[in-house]
């Protein structure tokens, strides 16, 4: 997922903002660390394409340097902003001064790769504006007459794009929340009263539809024999193993993802990618069970 985010011509602070504006991982420090490892690889690869286009100038030698800088920036961000929110007056010793930040970073990253000028610029940037890492608070579903049947991350594959949502299954509806909105209202709702659901692993027809419609797959490739056939995104191909297809049963106008599928029309079916095979099966089971 991280490899699909555009970071070109961004400095590392801007790229981290882009990363965590795209999705909010939550979870423990180990989760953030793993995400930063993937981020470092993707950012370094994109930075290499045109290093001179990025300000302040840097000379990263490899993705490991990017990772070390990213970790130091998240630690800085935590000390300046997150700890203060959670600990109040007790967090006074958690925030770093500029001198402390530079000294800590220098233990792992040389001035040859990242000059002091860059560290000063990033310190000022984060001091002024927090990198928002944690999920936005939501209206508690405890106010509903029943508790959610299931919650979790789902990625909707729609018109050559991947839309990541925090999905809440309750009262025969899937409420889809986008962390980029920053509000408590769902970005979209899928009504389950008129749909069928199938795991792509168990439904050959659904799997075939999904793979044939991936970006980069040419359906009339024989007529383009002189041109190289484009390859679909490997992440999307691998995701078929943990995906489910929701299809509208009725012959009326399409109603799935009416809000999120702009500017295109609503859909008659959508593929949702779960976090694992087991969770995909659980989503299918919970949706099929009904009220």
């Amino acid at each position: 997922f991280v490899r699909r985010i555009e970071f070109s011509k961004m400095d590392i602070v801007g790229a981290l903002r882009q990363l965590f504006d795209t999705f909010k991982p939550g979870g423990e420090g180990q989760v953030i660390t793993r995400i930063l490892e993937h981020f470092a690889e993707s950012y370094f690869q994109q930075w290499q394409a045109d290093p001179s286009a990025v300000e302040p100038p840097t000379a990263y030698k490899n993705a490991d340097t990017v990772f070390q800088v990213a970790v130091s920036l998240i630690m800085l961000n935590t000390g300046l902003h997150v700890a203060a929110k959670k600990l109040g007056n007790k967090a006074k010793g958690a925030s770093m001064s500029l001198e402390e930040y530079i000294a800590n970073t220098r233990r792992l990253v040389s001035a040859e790769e990242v000059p002091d000028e860059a560290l000063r610029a990033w310190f000022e940037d984060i001091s002024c504006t927090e990198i928002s890492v944690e999920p936005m608070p939501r209206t508690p579903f405890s106010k509903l007459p029943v508790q959610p049947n299931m919650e979790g991350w789902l990625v909707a594959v729609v018109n050559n794009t991947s839309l990541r949502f925090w999905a809440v299954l309750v009262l025969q509806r899937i409420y889809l929340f986008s962390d980029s909105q920053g509000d408590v209202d769902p970005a979209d709702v899928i009504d389950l009263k008129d749909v069928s659901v199938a795991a792509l692993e168990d439904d050959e027809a659904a799997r075939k539809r999904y793979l044939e419609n991936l970006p980069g797959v040419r359906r009339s490739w024989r007529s383009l024999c002189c041109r190289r056939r484009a390859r679909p995104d490997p992440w999307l191909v691998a995701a078929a193993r943990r995906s489910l297809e929701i299809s509208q049963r009725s012959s009326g106008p399409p109603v799935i993802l009416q809000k999120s599928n702009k500017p295109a029309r609503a859909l008659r079916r959508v593929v949702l990618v779960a976090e694992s095979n087991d969770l995909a099966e659980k989503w299918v089971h919970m949706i099929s069970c009904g009220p």
Side-chain angles (χ1 to χ4, degrees), residues 13 41 45 64 68 93 109 124 131 146 151 206 239 269 285 290:
V13 173
E41 294 173 2
Q45 188 176 50
D64 184 60
Q68 298 296 348
V109 180
E124 182 177 350
I131 298 174
V146 295
E151 299 179 68
R269 61 171 57 95
H285 174 72

Side-chain angles (χ1 to χ4, degrees), residues 33 39 45 53 86 88 105 136 144 181 201 212 222 239 246 253:
T33 299
F39 163 79
Q45 188 176 50
K86 292 184 176 180
T105 305
M136 298 295 293
L144 292 172
Q181 288 180 302
E201 278 283 86
E212 286 183 345
R222 282 179 182 151
I246 294 180

Side-chain angles (χ1 to χ4, degrees), residues 83-94:
K85 293 178 184 177
K86 292 184 176 180
L87 302 177
N89 293 333
K90 297 180 181 179
K92 289 182 179 178

Side-chain angles (χ1 to χ4, degrees), residues 11 47 51-52 54-60 112-115 117-119 122:
D11 76 336
W47 172 84
S52 62
V54 180
E55 292 288 341
T58 52
Y60 302 118
E112 179 187 357
E113 292 184 86
V114 180
E117 291 76 11
L119 296 181
W122 297 336

Side-chain angles (χ1 to χ4, degrees), residues 151-154 164-168 175-179 275:
E151 299 179 68
W153 290 111
L154 291 175
R164 194 168 189 261
F165 297 104
W166 180 258
V168 179
Y175 294 87
L176 301 171
F177 291 95
S178 171
D179 278 312
E275 295 178 279

Side-chain angles (χ1 to χ4, degrees), residues 145-194:
V146 295
Q147 289 296 298
N149 303 106
M150 187 171 178
E151 299 179 68
W153 290 111
L154 291 175
V155 176
V157 182
V158 179
N159 295 329
N160 299 347
T161 60
S162 301
L163 307 174
R164 194 168 189 261
F165 297 104
W166 180 258
V168 179
L169 173 60
V170 64
L171 298 175
Q172 284 192 278
R173 291 180 176 86
I174 299 178
Y175 294 87
L176 301 171
F177 291 95
S178 171
D179 278 312
S180 62
Q181 288 180 302
D183 55 30
V184 298
D185 295 323
D188 221 317
V189 179
I190 300 177
D191 193 324
L192 302 175
K193 295 176 183 176
D194 181 38

Side-chain angles (χ1 to χ4, degrees), residues 10-17 39 43 54 60 66 69-70 73 122:
M10 293 183 185
D11 76 336
I12 193 167
V13 173
L16 285 169
R17 295 192 193 282
F39 163 79
Y43 180 80
V54 180
Y60 302 118
V66 176
V69 172
L73 289 170
W122 297 336

Side-chain angles (χ1 to χ4, degrees), residues 42-112:
S42 179
Y43 180 80
F44 179 69
Q45 188 176 50
Q46 295 184 44
W47 172 84
Q48 277 187 307
D50 191 4
S52 62
V54 180
E55 292 288 341
T58 52
Y60 302 118
K61 292 181 179 179
N62 50 50
D64 184 60
T65 300
V66 176
F67 172 74
Q68 298 296 348
V69 172
V71 170
S72 73
L73 289 170
I74 293 301
M75 291 177 63
L76 173 66
N77 183 73
T78 299
L80 292 175
H81 301 287
V82 180
K85 293 178 184 177
K86 292 184 176 180
L87 302 177
N89 293 333
K90 297 180 181 179
K92 289 182 179 178
S95 60
M96 284 184 275
S97 66
L98 172 61
E99 291 72 21
E100 289 172 329
Y101 167 64
I102 293 177
N104 289 339
T105 305
R106 281 286 166 259
R107 295 172 184 171
L108 299 169
V109 180
S110 69
E112 179 187 357

